[in-house]
Amino acid sequence: MVDDGAEQEEFVCTVERTADPIARTLTSLGEIASTSWCLIAPEVDGRVPGPTDERLVGVLAGADAQVVRDILRERGGEFVVTAPAEIPAEISELLPEGAEWVESQAFNEEATGALYDGRFYFDKKSNRVLFDCSNPVRKDGPRPNVVVG
């Protein structure tokens, strides 16, 4: 069971199903057949947004389930059993029942290009991927504009 956490009341998760924005950003997962996701941004309250103000959370199925199976097989020793936490209820209710989630820190770093925080959970049974990222950017795209001071 996914822990929905108390933070849910702080944001609104409107589920989107357009695959193109996810496919353009999460390129390490191959072609996407379907996805359900939400981009969560806090209300603007007069302050300058910080680096973790946008959160992208969702679940996807690849066009070729073999891509997920190959990642799990080739990198199997890197993955550990885990339970995703603080997933919005709107996404939690879309997750496969009886999922067996595993996660690899090495895959997380590779998929994000170390440009943003992102966690990717793989379900061995359904070949679905749950993603939870803060301010995701394309790792092969332009670098984020960082302002210091």
Side-chain angles (χ1 to χ4, degrees):
M1 184 91 192
V2 175
D3 176 17
D4 294 329
E7 293 181 24
Q8 284 187 354
E9 277 109 48
E10 296 178 18
F11 57 79
V12 175
C13 175
T14 303
V15 177
E16 303 284 340
R17 290 185 168 75
T18 308
D20 190 51
I22 304 305
R24 283 193 321 255
T25 304
L26 306 181
T27 57
S28 299
L29 300 167
E31 187 179 339
I32 296 173
S34 65
T35 185
S36 297
W37 54 275
C38 60
L39 182 63
I40 303 161
E43 287 186 35
V44 177
D45 59 2
R47 65 181 176 80
V48 176
T52 59
D53 283 346
E54 289 189 336
R55 181 177 175 208
L56 178 66
V57 183
V59 63
L60 64 83
D64 181 359
Q66 191 62 43
V67 171
V68 170
R69 288 199 275 302
D70 287 348
I71 290 170
L72 290 169
R73 180 179 42 79
E74 293 167 6
R75 304 175 72 141
E78 297 175 8
F79 283 89
V80 295
V81 175
T82 190
E86 300 180 13
I87 303 302
E90 296 85 350
I91 297 300
S92 290
E93 65 189 29
L94 302 173
L95 299 178
E97 194 164 322
E100 295 178 5
W101 298 111
V102 294
E103 177 187 22
S104 162
Q105 187 60 39
F107 180 85
N108 291 345
E109 290 172 11
E110 180 181 309
T112 65
L115 296 171
Y116 60 92
D117 290 331
R119 296 183 75 177
F120 300 87
Y121 306 91
F122 292 75
D123 176 28
K124 293 180 177 184
K125 290 180 171 180
S126 69
N127 296 309
R128 298 281 197 272
V129 179
L130 171 65
F131 51 92
D132 189 353
C133 306
S134 296
N135 287 336
V137 295
R138 238 182 111 136
K139 69 178 184 178
D140 61 348
R143 296 293 186 236
N145 185 12
V146 178
V147 178
V148 179

